[in-house]
Amino acid sequence: MRRSILRLFLWYVVVLAVLGIGASAAGVLRPERVAAAMARIRVPGLLWLAAINGVILLAATGRWWRILSAFGHRIAPVRLTAYRIAAGAVSYVTPGSQFGGEPLQAFLLVRREGVPADIAAAAVFLERAMELALNLILVGGGLLWMVRRPLPGVEWGLPFNALGRGGAGRVLTAVCFGAAA
């Protein structure tokens, strides 16, 4: 009885949140502009987008599958993909993009796959830490690429030289505002 009341309460919270977000968006978005933007989307573009998203999803799921396999738990990648998609859906409705679906991922591993809670938490943590490290590497590489490009009013040799001599503020100002500080 108590569990059904909690589920009903959570259902109402989700419905109210969706309605609130929809009402907020309705005040900003114009249906005719949304329809015009959607009309410009072509099928080949959608297919490429779906393919790229599929590759990213499979790579992330493969990383998680490998971590769980190292712990001795071989779970079908299709099931892990479904758990990852469910966790992503939860992350969309929780505050902060970096927290939300992870507890659901661990919960599903424990409840549906019989993975011990400590291993489930460790596997989710390791996978998220690897994803964060990859994101930081990509952002760092992008920043280094941007710093190496000549910017108006900023003179330096190597990007490491500029960052190493206290030039980080100048670099960030130049990158953000397009001019030297």
Side-chain angles (χ1 to χ4, degrees), residues 12-81:
Y12 282 122
V13 168
V14 169
V15 168
L16 288 174
V18 168
L19 289 175
I21 292 169
S24 174
V28 176
L29 299 175
R30 295 203 172 99
E32 61 275 1
R33 293 181 76 187
V34 172
M38 296 294 284
R40 288 187 297 219
I41 298 174
R42 303 285 179 240
V43 173
L46 284 176
L47 293 176
W48 274 108
L49 183 61
I52 290 169
N53 280 314
V55 168
I56 292 170
L57 184 63
L58 289 175
T61 302
R63 197 172 48 225
W64 194 28
W65 178 84
R66 183 65 192 114
I67 291 168
L68 285 166
S69 294
F71 281 121
H73 297 277
R74 297 181 70 78
I75 300 168
V78 172
R79 293 178 70 106
L80 289 178
T81 302

Side-chain angles (χ1 to χ4, degrees), residues 109-122:
L109 286 175
V110 170
R111 181 67 70 124
R112 294 190 176 176
E113 305 298 336
V115 175
D118 55 343
I119 291 176

Side-chain angles (χ1 to χ4, degrees), residues 111-146:
R111 181 67 70 124
R112 294 190 176 176
E113 305 298 336
V115 175
D118 55 343
I119 291 176
V124 171
F125 172 78
L126 286 171
E127 197 279 324
R128 293 299 290 173
M130 291 173 76
E131 183 174 342
L132 177 63
L134 179 62
N135 287 340
L136 290 175
I137 290 169
L138 290 173
V139 168
L143 283 174
L144 286 176
W145 177 78
M146 287 174 30

Side-chain angles (χ1 to χ4, degrees), residues 81-94 97 100-102 104-105:
T81 302
Y83 298 161
R84 190 165 178 83
I85 291 171
V90 169
S91 292
Y92 279 120
V93 296
T94 55
S97 62
E102 292 80 6
L104 178 63
Q105 282 180 287

